[in-house]
């Protein structure tokens, strides 16, 4: 048994049950997700896509508390690099998700930049590289979002580097961090997405530790990833090929990541997210049980 990593709070998310959308006939119903995530031994969850779990705070509180669960964060997507014209539609989405997140006593809002390549069709929607002007829109927009979410809802935003978005590679992540105020904006480091895009999670934690506000635990299969990169396969089809795999079969090694995070000396959530959309309904629970056992062997 590894040394106890007592600053890390482990949870899981609808994503690990193949849930990407509020409603989809291929996804498990939400009561089954809640039952199974508790059965697998997790006590923390994320809300997932807004509308998948009940959005009435009183009902959701009853549902999670009855299973011994608590909520760590909500999630939103936004395209703030497009400039101030995006603000109103972004805030409309944020206000719904942040209000529910706040009502569930969570403290974090995970912010995922919009995709430049369509997740399903592979259509190129925008250039993969931002212009200098767009970088300015993105960083100022995220700072404004961080400020207003904190003032209005008491939540901290954590921006999630993600494959097929403009915040993905080590170069882009570092540029984003170097261009934003740590008092307003920090990072949700997703170990799988960062590895998918060629980054080193341990190095990022050791270099930008004060900016790591939240973790998503995920691994990639290096062989499938090599094929994905070689053939320029979009993220959605890559997931269907199994590019995000069950730990400890992939990279990065999660033990060193968790140890590096513990050394930061702050309380951090580490939420398991194994992208599996779409998947057979009986597939997630055994994986979740094994993953929880593996994480215990890492000390969390």
């Amino acid at each position: 048994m590894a040394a106890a990593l007592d600053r890390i709070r482990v949870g899981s998310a609808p994503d690990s049950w193949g849930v990407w959308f509020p409603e989809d006939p291929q996804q498990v119903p939400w009561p089954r997700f809640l039952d199974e995530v508790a059965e697998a031994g997790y006590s923390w969850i994320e809300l997932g896509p807004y509308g998948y779990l009940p959005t009435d705070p009183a009902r959701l509180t009853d549902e999670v508390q009855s299973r011994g669960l608590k909520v760590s964060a909500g999630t939103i997507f936004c395209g703030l690099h497009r400039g101030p014209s995006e603000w109103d539609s972004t805030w409309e989405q944020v206000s719904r998700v942040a209000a529910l997140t706040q009502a569930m006593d969570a403290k974090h809002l995970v912010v995922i930049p919009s995709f430049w390549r369509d997740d399903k069709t592979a259509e190129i929607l925008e250039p993969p590289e931002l212009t200098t002007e767009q970088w300015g829109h993105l960083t100022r927009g995220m700072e404004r979002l961080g400020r207003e979410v904190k003032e209005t809802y008491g939540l901290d935003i954590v921006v999630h580097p993600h494959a097929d978005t403009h915040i993905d590679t080590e170069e882009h992540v570092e540029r984003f961090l170097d261009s934003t105020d740590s008092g307003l904006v920090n990072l949700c480091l997703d170990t799988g997405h960062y590895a998918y895009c060629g980054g080193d999670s341990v190095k990022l934690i050791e270099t930008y530790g004060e900016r790591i506000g939240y973790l998503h635990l995920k691994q990639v299969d290096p062989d499938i990833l090599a094929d994905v990169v070689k053939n320029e396969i979009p993220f959605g089809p890559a997931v269907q090929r199994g590019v995000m795999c069950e730990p400890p079969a992939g990279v990065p090694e999660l033990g060193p990541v968790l140890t590096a995070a513990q050394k930061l000396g702050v309380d951090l959530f580490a939420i398991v997210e194994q992208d599996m959309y779409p998947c057979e309904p009986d597939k997630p629970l055994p994986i979740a049980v094994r993953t929880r056992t593996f994480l215990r062997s890492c000390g969390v």
Side-chain angles (χ1 to χ4, degrees), residues 28-245:
V28 298
W30 65 263
R32 179 171 177 177
F33 159 67
L34 291 178
D35 289 344
E36 292 188 352
V37 75
E39 183 182 338
Y42 294 101
S43 53
W44 293 94
I45 61 165
E46 291 184 1
L47 294 177
Y50 182 80
Y52 174 65
L53 295 176
T55 56
D56 173 64
R59 182 175 184 208
L60 184 56
T61 298
D62 287 345
E63 295 286 356
V64 299
Q65 287 185 351
S66 69
R67 295 168 172 88
L69 299 171
K70 293 169 283 191
V71 174
S72 62
T75 303
I76 65 118
F77 290 82
C78 64
L80 293 173
H81 67 282
R82 299 186 195 113
S85 61
E86 285 285 306
W87 180 260
D88 289 348
S89 61
T90 299
W91 190 253
E92 185 182 0
Q93 179 200 175
V94 166
S95 57
R96 287 195 303 269
V97 178
L100 183 59
T101 304
Q102 179 191 41
M104 298 309 296
D105 229 13
K107 302 299 181 196
H108 294 90
L109 188 67
V110 177
V111 179
I112 300 177
S114 57
F115 286 39
W116 55 260
R117 176 162 58 184
D118 188 280
D119 217 18
K120 287 186 170 178
T121 68
E123 178 191 358
I124 304 293
L125 306 173
E126 297 180 77
E129 290 287 338
L130 296 178
T131 65
T132 301
E133 181 184 36
Q134 288 173 319
W135 269 108
H137 288 320
L138 176 65
T139 55
R140 288 191 299 272
M142 287 293 193
E143 287 180 335
R144 179 182 178 188
L145 188 65
R147 184 183 301 109
E148 298 204 15
V149 165
K150 186 72 170 177
E151 289 175 356
T152 309
Y153 298 101
L155 306 177
D156 293 324
I157 72 164
V158 281
V159 176
H160 182 324
H162 197 291
D164 287 1
T165 77
H166 295 108
I167 307 177
D168 50 1
T169 61
E170 179 181 47
E171 179 189 358
H172 288 162
V173 169
E174 291 187 352
R175 179 171 180 174
F176 179 74
L177 290 174
D178 290 343
S179 306
T180 48
D181 181 345
S182 62
L184 300 172
V185 178
N186 285 304
L187 215 62
C188 169
L189 170 58
D190 184 305
T191 60
H193 278 279
Y194 202 50
Y196 185 105
C197 299
D200 179 332
S201 288
V202 171
K203 178 185 170 190
L204 188 69
I205 293 169
E206 290 176 345
T207 309
Y208 286 89
E210 75 285 354
R211 303 301 298 276
I212 307 299
Y214 200 92
L215 294 171
H216 279 169
L217 300 180
K218 191 179 293 177
Q219 285 191 325
V220 293
D221 179 314
D223 295 332
I224 297 176
L225 179 64
D227 184 59
V228 163
V229 172
K230 178 183 172 187
N231 293 297
E232 298 184 358
I233 296 166
F235 181 65
V239 167
Q240 292 184 22
R241 291 181 181 215
V243 73
M244 298 300 182
C245 62

